[in-house]
Amino acid sequence: NKLAHFFLVKIAIGLLVIGSAIALVEFGGRYLLKALPFTESLSNFLVAFLQAIISVSSYLLLFRAYEKRQILELSRNTCSKYAYMGFATGLILQTSFIIAIYLAGGYTIIRSNSFSAVLPAFTTALSAGFGAEILIRGVCFRILEEKLGTALSIAILTMLFALIHSRTPGANFLSVLSTAAQAGFLLSAAFVLTRSLWFTIFIHFAWDFTEPGIFGAINPGNNVSGSLFTSTITGSPLITGGANGPQNALPALVFCTILGSLFLWMANRNENFIQPYWKK
């Protein structure tokens, strides 16, 4: 019983069970949909939608049984509230990066497209927002935080994202810092403030959707075609992010660090910080 509830074992089991369920939908769903007369875009959307459902469902089922508790971080009562707040946060952040580029004279809209053009970006963001946040924030960060405390867990996750991203092709010092500030610091701080995975899921979803799907900018994690606005982005990579996109530029680093710090300040005032096990 002690081994089963050791925090690293819990993380491993959570990643294995939920990750396997998501992978099963990815490969099994696509195989079954091949027999149906659906377009590729519709098939991709259906798979992403099913992945979102299965990631939430498998998390609820696993940890209700495993930890014998109510899963308040995915409460139906707070879903709408934090979904709206999260989506608005992600949308406003990405819009602010584009505004910074526009004010620097580097963003130009060539033409606007139909709403159907945003479906690929919407589909990719839906899958990434739900799957990644359930696994990273719901499994890894939450369980790590219960053992090591809030401050140390945020520091570990931020450093891990910096280390992982430093090995990706085209990464530079600014892009590594920006990714760490967003994926490691900001989203973890958002979870600590609200104790809601809905909030982080929809920040992530709006983030991944808005950048390529609305503004036609580069998102290194989403290789999609089609956007609401066909645009050109020029200027200093310090402001535009260059080949790494606006989310890896200086405005993104500054805005996300400030917002994450504000979230943590509010969380501390609300006494949402968890102490490490040696202080309890």
Side-chain angles (χ1 to χ4, degrees), residues 246-269:
Q247 69 176 32
N248 288 309
L250 184 61
L253 173 61
V254 172
F255 295 163
C256 290
T257 302
I258 291 173
L259 184 59
S261 300
L262 178 61
F263 283 168
L264 286 184
W265 177 75
M266 294 168 65
N268 189 45
R269 288 194 62 182

Side-chain angles (χ1 to χ4, degrees), residues 49-238:
F49 182 73
L50 290 173
Q51 283 180 325
I53 292 175
I54 202 67
S55 60
V56 171
S57 300
S58 57
Y59 181 92
L60 289 170
L61 291 172
L62 174 63
F63 287 108
R64 275 175 184 162
Y66 199 170
E67 298 177 335
K68 294 179 173 58
R69 65 179 180 89
Q70 287 184 301
I71 311 300
L72 298 179
E73 62 269 26
L74 285 175
S75 170
R76 286 181 294 178
N77 295 331
T78 59
C79 178
S80 296
K81 171 186 174 181
Y82 286 124
Y84 290 133
M85 288 174 59
F87 192 89
T89 301
L91 177 66
I92 291 169
L93 279 171
Q94 286 286 8
T95 303
S96 68
F97 308 156
I98 298 298
I99 291 173
I101 297 171
Y102 174 78
L103 292 176
Y107 184 78
T108 304
I109 295 176
I110 299 173
R111 65 175 182 273
S112 59
N113 304 304
S114 66
F115 280 100
S116 62
V118 308
L119 183 59
F122 184 92
T123 297
T124 305
L126 180 66
S127 177
F130 275 81
E133 288 308 310
I134 290 292
L135 292 172
I136 296 171
R137 233 64 53 181
V139 177
C140 296
F141 177 76
R142 179 184 62 81
I143 296 173
L144 198 66
E145 185 190 23
E146 289 174 355
K147 188 70 174 178
L148 303 182
T150 300
L152 184 56
S153 297
I154 291 177
I156 290 172
L157 206 63
T158 302
M159 288 188 291
L160 280 175
F161 270 104
L163 179 62
I164 293 169
H165 188 68
S166 67
R167 299 178 180 273
T168 60
N172 54 47
F173 183 70
L174 181 57
S175 71
V176 169
L177 285 182
S178 297
T179 298
Q182 299 149 19
F185 181 65
L186 172 63
L187 286 168
S188 298
F191 177 73
V192 174
L193 173 62
T194 61
R195 293 296 167 190
S196 171
L197 286 174
W198 297 123
F199 190 48
T200 64
I201 284 169
F202 280 89
I203 291 176
H204 196 148
F205 169 53
W207 179 283
D208 281 0
F209 169 63
T210 303
E211 189 172 34
I214 294 180
F215 296 115
I218 296 171
N219 184 308
N222 290 358
N223 188 19
V224 297
S225 60
S227 57
L228 185 60
F229 300 122
T230 299
S231 62
T232 59
I233 295 179
T234 58
S236 170
L238 195 66

